[in-house]
Amino acid sequence: EDKVVQSPLSLVVHEGDTVTLNCSYEVTNFRSLLWYKQEKKAPTFLFMLTSSGIEKKSGRLSSILDKKELFSILNITATQTGDSAVYLCAVQNSGGSNYKLTFGKGTLLTVNP
Amino acid sequence: DTEVTQTPKHLVMGMTNKKSLKCEQHMGHRAMYWYKQKAKKPPELMFVYSYEKLSINESVPSRFSPECPNSSLLNLHLHALQPEDSALYLCASSQFQGFAEAFFGQGTRLTVV
């Protein structure tokens, strides 16, 4: 069974801090790893990673994948209160016709002013 | 238009009621998904439709009945639910099944009384 483990489960920081969120996975026939940000309701897509060692960047957020060690990190620099959310990591397999997304439990990030 | 629209936003129903959740997208996506999310847990896949045909049913009880009338619409019919079915129900779509970047709707917060 596919497995995604995120750490830490929760994190409290002050505005301006840099945070690193971790995601490790075990999946049969890995296809891609995705990061989502979930505030009140809908998860919002952040990044999709398929290749090792290539950093994806969007503003203050960046992410990288290590397919050999089976993990990914999401970095947020100069955090703002608006970054407070649950950050979800999900992996997709390509087994048969399933193409399922398996989510981790998420990291609850709280950024205090 | 990169939006997935879900209605209603909130729903309270009795255990003997029949209700439906609706989901709509106009991105030309051919895969649509229903997820269930309980508080402080990640989304759990319920159903996948690919080209309007049911592709995956994650052993969901028959009191949940999905329907895909056309490529833009996805419904979830609810009947004889239990209080433990109370959750956030999220609809998502992606270009194709197996195309990992899924867009989520804002969800329907369902309470069964």
Side-chain angles (χ1 to χ4, degrees), chain A residues 64-75:
Chain A
I64 198 159
L65 174 67
D66 185 328
K67 285 167 77 172
K68 187 176 171 195
E69 300 297 330
L70 308 183
F71 77 91
S72 173
I73 59 171
L74 175 69
N75 276 323

Side-chain angles (χ1 to χ4, degrees), chain A residues 31-32 34 36 38 40-43 45 48 88 92 97-101 103-105, chain B residues 9-10 35 37 42-43 45 56 58 88 90 97-102 104-107:
Chain A
R31 184 178 171 91
S32 58
L34 297 94
Y36 285 87
Q38 186 171 26
K40 296 246 163 77
K41 284 203 174 173
F45 173 80
M48 182 169 77
L88 293 164
Q92 187 185 46
S97 59
N98 280 339
Y99 299 121
K100 284 169 54 175
L101 269 185
F103 283 87
K105 291 187 177 179
Chain B
K9 290 187 170 43
H10 300 274
Y35 285 85
Q37 188 175 26
L45 183 66
I56 295 177
E58 287 287 280
L88 179 68
L90 292 163
Q97 185 178 355
F99 193 82
E101 185 180 342
F104 282 83
Q106 290 294 311

Side-chain angles (χ1 to χ4, degrees), chain A:
Chain A
E1 189 176 315
D2 298 342
K3 198 168 150 186
V4 179
V5 178
Q6 291 187 245
S7 63
L9 289 181
S10 66
L11 187 55
V12 180
V13 300
H14 290 289
E15 266 193 318
D17 288 351
T18 293
V19 298
T20 298
L21 310 183
N22 303 294
C23 176
S24 64
Y25 62 89
E26 293 172 25
V27 63
T28 311
N29 299 318
F30 174 87
R31 184 178 171 91
S32 58
L33 183 144
L34 297 94
W35 285 97
Y36 285 87
K37 176 183 181 184
Q38 186 171 26
E39 294 175 85
K40 296 246 163 77
K41 284 203 174 173
T44 306
F45 173 80
L46 295 175
F47 298 112
M48 182 169 77
L49 302 150
T50 54
S51 302
S52 269
I54 298 174
E55 186 184 49
K56 294 263 179 125
K57 203 167 163 60
S58 176
R60 296 176 294 103
L61 277 67
S62 63
S63 183
I64 198 159
L65 174 67
D66 185 328
K67 285 167 77 172
K68 187 176 171 195
E69 300 297 330
L70 308 183
F71 77 91
S72 173
I73 59 171
L74 175 69
N75 276 323
I76 309 175
T77 58
T79 51
Q80 301 171 358
T81 54
D83 295 327
S84 296
V86 174
Y87 289 83
L88 293 164
C89 173
V91 292
Q92 187 185 46
N93 66 27
S94 58
S97 59
N98 280 339
Y99 299 121
K100 284 169 54 175
L101 269 185
T102 301
F103 283 87
K105 291 187 177 179
T107 293
L108 173 61
L109 174 66
T110 304
V111 181
N112 289 325

